[in-house]
Amino acid sequence: MSLDGFLTFLALAVAIYAVVPPVTKLRAKLGLVIQVLLALGAFGLVLYLLFFDAVGQPCPSVVAAICNPVTFPDGGSFTPARAAFLVVIAWVPLAWVINWILWRTSVSLPTLSALIDELVFEQRFAEVLTLMEPHFRLIERAARRKLPLQKLHDRLVVLGGGGTIEQMLAEINRRRVLGVADDDDDRRQPIFNKLRHWASKLVAIVPAQSRAETEAEDIARVLFRSADLRRFIARMRPYFAIHLLRLDLYGKHDLSDAFFGDLISDTGSVLYQELQQNQNTVSCGYALPASNRLLHFLFVDAHTAKQLAVWKPIGEHVMKMLRTDGPADYVAWLNGSAEDFNDERWQDPTFVSIFFFDVMVTAAACQGIQWHMWLYYFPYFVDRLEKFYDTSNPHVNPNAEFPTRSARLIYEVIDVLGRWVSLVERLPENSPHLNISQFKKFGNDNGNIPVSAAVALGSCMETIANSNKLGDRFAGYMHECIMRDMRSLPHNGEQGQMRQFLIQSIVHGGQRGADAQYGQRLATFWSMADHVLRSDLDDYESAIRAEYPGVLP
């Protein structure tokens, strides 16, 4: 390599640096000190070789064994210019390897933390996300003290007698479980003492990497707590949130609540799109194709949804929208005609939230997760919809199947709850949700999804039956829908037990309890129901008569 060639190489390197993406330049800063030292060394060596004829010195005899092999005899094929070329060729891949290693070690965390703070402050959110992608595992391990040197240091601290009370108690309990005898302890005590002595010495030379832990926690705090960054992710890069929600770090649940709150608040968000595209069912539950990345992440293993408590932001948003003092235009819209609701429903936050719960609860039931996934939001949805129910709009037909959009939503709640009850027909044979007989009460403290759905259905029926706004026609229709759910269940086996539990929940009004007025209303709806349907529900009629004597002729 000649001097002109080296200058051309430097000019090319500067030109490449000028056109590379901004994030690449930011990543180069993560190992800037080491890279600068390497560059200065390579640059100096190349200049030395290029000007070897002018600055080269004879090889001293004391180091002849070292420097003789790299001398350049006159007429030789290996010249200083060729050596300079090899230095450049070695420098480039070595710099890349060093940078690749530094990106994945704790050395980069202080610089990474400073860069993220600066980028978030400047609202360069796209660059933040691109910069972060290779570093999730490093941040999680550093914040949880799972890096190799951190784990070694902490083990030495415990071994040296400097552990926490919890660690010492855990060690005592471990030895007790192993059945280590007292005399064994006595014989081994000198060995333990020596180990602890050496461990206490080694602690001083094994770095604790506390700064790496602190910097990783600071990075996580910025990523989890920055509202502007979160809103950018929800709007522009929603799937990036999956990486963040996989991290096992403090603050993740705050991010989850706010992120899903952002998604359900925006009818154009990816959550609305994926739910509309996820209506296909399988033998038990909904298909969850990998193309619907967010729903696949949450529900292909519904423990993820349970851990993140994703029902909370979805349910709370509906409760906020359905307040009597909530958005007046939304309340007016709900009290409008439901004729075009099939075309409008995928833009309605309440309908989409009901369907979200359906996908979530069904996935949990089919996977045997013993938790009700807070399907008990549904009776509160019905309460709110009933409170502002109004058919006075001149465009509303009070004799229609669903006079208003809110009536259609009440039906959706009743229909979904009925399908959850009927899951006993499709659950795997070993499902814990088939253990119905142990449930006798109507509280919300059980983890059985069909049972919880039956309790919620009873609570909804109590609201519907005692309403002064819904009218007998629509309320009777909802009661008839529940009767059809009863009839679909056989009399025997686990499904028969579910049938009896559902009947008792309806008769008792679920968690709401029952009184004479409620009994009279059930009798009225029973009399209004189709006679063919009534002929298959002698057990339901008997339950009404037993609980409310005299209400039926």
Side-chain angles (χ1 to χ4, degrees), residues 46-116:
V46 168
L47 289 180
Y48 172 75
L49 292 171
L50 291 178
F51 293 98
F52 183 80
D53 293 338
V55 300
Q57 300 294 324
C59 183
S61 58
V62 293
V63 290
I66 299 176
C67 67
N68 278 337
V70 292
T71 55
F72 303 98
D74 294 336
S77 59
F78 190 66
T79 64
R82 291 181 178 180
F85 178 76
L86 291 179
V87 170
V88 172
I89 292 298
W91 172 21
V92 174
L94 182 60
W96 184 88
V97 169
I98 290 175
N99 219 35
W100 186 88
I101 294 174
L102 290 175
W103 291 352
R104 288 155 178 81
T105 61
S106 61
V107 176
S108 65
L109 287 176
T111 306
L112 182 62
S113 178
L115 286 174
I116 290 175

Side-chain angles (χ1 to χ4, degrees), residues 167-182:
Q167 290 169 324
M168 288 188 287
L169 290 175
E171 175 64 15
I172 293 172
N173 183 64
R174 184 187 69 82
R175 295 170 65 78
R176 185 177 298 153
V177 170
L178 294 175
V180 179
D182 292 340

Side-chain angles (χ1 to χ4, degrees), residues 182-198:
D182 292 340
D183 54 348
D184 291 337
D185 285 346
D186 293 339
R187 288 194 297 270
R188 296 173 184 176
Q189 194 62 39
I191 299 175
F192 290 144
N193 289 338
K194 289 182 180 180
L195 287 174
R196 290 186 174 185
H197 172 75
W198 285 107

Side-chain angles (χ1 to χ4, degrees), residues 16 64 81 85 107 121 123 141 145 192 207 281 286 366 376-377 379 427 440 464 469 495 504 548-549:
I16 292 174
F85 178 76
V107 176
F121 178 76
Q123 297 192 339
R141 294 180 69 199
R145 297 198 61 78
F192 290 144
T281 59
Y286 289 89
C366 294
Y376 288 105
Y377 268 105
L427 292 173
K440 306 297 182 184
I464 294 169
K469 298 180 178 181
Q495 298 176 36
Q504 292 302 315
Y548 308 103

Side-chain angles (χ1 to χ4, degrees), residues 239 270-278 292-295:
Y239 296 128
V270 69
L271 181 62
Y272 283 73
Q273 298 169 18
E274 287 198 7
L275 286 169
Q276 186 174 3
Q277 297 165 3
N278 207 93
N292 289 337
R293 293 164 60 183
L294 191 61
L295 298 183

Side-chain angles (χ1 to χ4, degrees), residues 341-342 345 348 350-352 354-355 358 378 382 385 402 405-420 457 474 478 481:
F341 189 77
N342 284 340
R345 56 183 177 165
D348 174 40
T350 303
F351 174 84
V352 168
I354 291 171
F355 186 68
D358 191 14
F378 275 26
V382 172
L385 289 166
F402 306 113
R405 295 181 181 94
S406 56
R408 173 63 184 272
L409 291 171
I410 292 174
Y411 164 78
E412 294 292 341
V413 170
I414 299 302
D415 181 59
V416 169
L417 286 172
R419 282 191 272 122
W420 291 341
L457 204 50
F474 179 71
M478 294 300 97
C481 290

